[in-house]
Amino acid sequence: MYDYLIVGAGLYGAVFAHEATAAGKHCLVIDKRGHIAGNIYTEDVEGIAVHRYGAHIFHTNNKQVWDYVNRFATFNRYTNSPVANYKGELYNMPFNMNTFNKMWGVVTPAEAQAKIQEQRAAHYTPHPKNLEEQAINLVGVDIYEKLVKHYTEKQWGRPCTALPAFIIQRLPVRLTFDNNYFNALYQGIPNEGYTALVAHLLDGVDVCLHTDYLADRESLAKTARKVVYTGPIDAYFDYRLGALQYRSVRFETETLDMPNYQGNAVINYTDAETPFTRIIEHKHFVFGSTEPGTKTVISREYSAEWQPGDEPYYPVNDETNGALYDRYRKLADNEPDVLFGGRLGEYKYYDMDRVIEVALQRAHAELA
């Protein structure tokens, strides 16, 4: 008999398992996939650490979380500086003086601020009802049309006029020449990849892969006193109230016979004509690499509406889905021996640092 059966070998499950094991508890971690690390899984291809489920850059302002992950991995000092490609025009992200100089030819922060204010005033909506109106209120028409509108519509599969305004509470506008996307004190990627980080977290923990909890929950639940469930909360309840909506992502990954394909780890394609949202070139996540080797690996990302059998990536956090999740949450509250957690268990988009923070809090509260 285990103390905890942990469903999901991703970051949340691995952190909980590590903390429980350190407290003297006996844990079994299961995952329906054939590998640990969930969506942060990295694998070696031609000597390049490939992020199979999309790019993951660790960033945080929480020193406690940063110190915690550094117990299990050595991080490089990669800085996320994506580039936007709009019909062959290249713009730095997030919106900063480099972006504004390319967009309008302005040189000083005062000129950029004046241009933004001019564009805002010309199309200002006092009470924005949708994402389009909110975005134009924040950054004006030019930036919205070239760098926000089409990328967002590809990502969410809906016109910006049909997306709620609260999805974009703010857009980063920097009046400095700073291409660092994340405004975080700590940032980087594990030198050995995320799979190794999770493996260190799970050291000494029993792990069983290719095991689908929902397909055999009755017998699996009997193996432990409590279950920590990190899968989709609606699937746990057999979708009895209806299915929550997600966006999914499809990847086209290629190994190319060239040392350098695009010169940057991430390039977003912000026009409507390009069917994918971005291209990742994995070798550039290694800070300081100077085009090592003769090959490179790229992944094109295509956003799609989630269908049964697809991997759910991004919760559709509109009012309808929020209300449905609240109903599932009430059902979960009546499951005293099951702890629901993580991105899918809580129907919430979490950055990695927040996943760790919440998992630590939940584990410590449970083990106190």
Side-chain angles (χ1 to χ4, degrees):
M1 175 65 71
Y2 290 93
D3 295 296
Y4 294 98
L5 170 67
I6 299 168
V7 181
L11 199 51
Y12 187 102
V15 169
F16 191 101
H18 178 85
E19 295 303 302
T21 302
K25 303 298 182 181
H26 195 199
C27 298
L28 171 64
V29 175
I30 64 172
D31 201 294
K32 67 180 180 180
R33 294 174 176 174
H35 60 74
I36 62 171
N39 282 4
I40 63 172
Y41 175 70
T42 50
E43 59 186 339
D44 185 282
V45 178
E46 299 289 343
I48 299 165
V50 171
H51 300 227
R52 184 191 288 185
Y53 303 98
H56 289 84
I57 300 105
F58 195 91
H59 57 96
T60 187
N61 285 312
N62 187 327
K63 189 174 187 303
Q64 178 187 5
V65 169
W66 181 245
D67 290 343
Y68 184 82
V69 294
N70 275 270
R71 289 165 49 192
F72 308 99
T74 301
F75 282 72
N76 68 22
R77 52 162 297 191
Y78 172 81
T79 300
N80 190 29
S81 302
V83 172
N85 183 323
Y86 178 79
K87 299 182 179 181
E89 299 174 12
L90 301 181
Y91 295 92
N92 290 111
M93 302 287 284
F95 311 136
N96 64 64
M97 286 300 299
N98 291 307
T99 318
F100 308 141
N101 175 263
K102 180 68 177 286
M103 185 76 68
W104 300 310
V106 296
V107 175
T108 68
E111 291 172 340
Q113 184 68 52
K115 189 67 176 179
I116 293 169
Q117 294 288 29
E118 173 192 319
Q119 294 227 330
R120 285 170 172 165
H123 300 87
Y124 186 77
T125 303
H127 304 288
K129 298 183 294 294
N130 55 56
L131 187 147
E132 177 170 287
E133 292 175 350
Q134 174 78 347
I136 291 173
N137 276 5
L138 292 169
V139 293
V141 173
D142 288 350
I143 292 175
Y144 169 72
E145 288 288 343
K146 287 191 174 185
L147 303 181
V148 177
K149 175 180 169 63
H150 304 297
Y151 184 88
T152 302
E153 291 181 346
K154 287 190 290 186
Q155 191 173 39
W156 290 102
R158 296 156 175 80
C160 287
T161 52
L163 290 168
F166 68 76
I167 287 181
I168 294 185
Q169 297 293 345
R170 60 181 295 275
L171 286 170
V173 173
R174 296 180 185 165
L175 298 177
T176 58
F177 293 89
D178 181 4
N179 298 327
N180 181 357
Y181 190 83
F182 296 122
N183 186 22
L185 287 173
Y186 312 104
Q187 184 174 171
I189 294 174
N191 287 330
E192 296 180 333
Y194 288 103
T195 305
L197 183 155
V198 174
H200 290 312
L201 280 164
L202 293 174
D203 186 32
V205 179
D206 291 344
V207 177
C208 189
L209 303 176
H210 299 291
T211 304
D212 187 344
Y213 175 76
L214 297 180
D216 194 21
R217 76 169 79 187
E218 187 173 339
S219 61
L220 285 169
K222 292 177 181 177
T223 65
R225 295 180 176 85
K226 280 194 173 183
V227 173
V228 178
Y229 178 79
T230 70
I233 189 171
D234 52 350
Y236 180 90
F237 293 104
D238 297 319
Y239 305 102
R240 72 177 69 166
L241 304 176
L244 291 162
Q245 289 182 298
Y246 293 89
R247 294 295 288 172
S248 191
V249 183
R250 177 173 62 85
F251 300 94
E252 285 182 356
T253 299
E254 289 185 75
T255 300
L256 303 176
D257 288 319
M258 60 178 68
N260 187 358
Y261 177 75
Q262 65 184 18
N264 202 52
V266 181
I267 294 187
N268 297 340
Y269 285 79
T270 61
D271 58 84
E273 293 76 15
T274 304
F276 45 83
T277 54
R278 63 182 182 176
I279 295 179
I280 296 167
E281 187 166 8
H282 299 267
K283 69 166 45 175
H284 294 305
F285 288 121
V286 178
F287 175 80
S289 64
T290 54
E291 305 175 16
T294 59
K295 295 181 184 293
T296 192
V297 180
I298 65 168
S299 296
R300 298 179 186 87
E301 294 188 10
Y302 297 82
S303 186
E305 199 73 16
W306 177 84
Q307 302 292 336
D310 295 340
E311 178 63 29
Y313 278 83
Y314 303 107
V316 179
N317 291 132
D318 57 17
E319 292 181 6
T320 300
N321 284 284
L324 180 56
Y325 167 71
D326 286 341
R327 294 172 65 197
Y328 276 119
R329 180 70 260 173
K330 289 182 174 63
L331 293 178
D333 289 341
N334 292 320
E335 299 275 329
D337 295 326
V338 182
L339 308 178
F340 293 81
R343 175 178 56 93
L344 302 179
E346 299 177 57
Y347 195 64
K348 184 181 296 183
Y349 180 77
Y350 275 133
D351 286 327
M352 287 182 286
D353 65 324
R354 183 61 178 153
V355 170
I356 292 169
E357 183 180 353
V358 172
L360 286 172
Q361 291 171 351
R362 191 65 184 271
H364 295 164
E366 174 69 17
L367 298 165

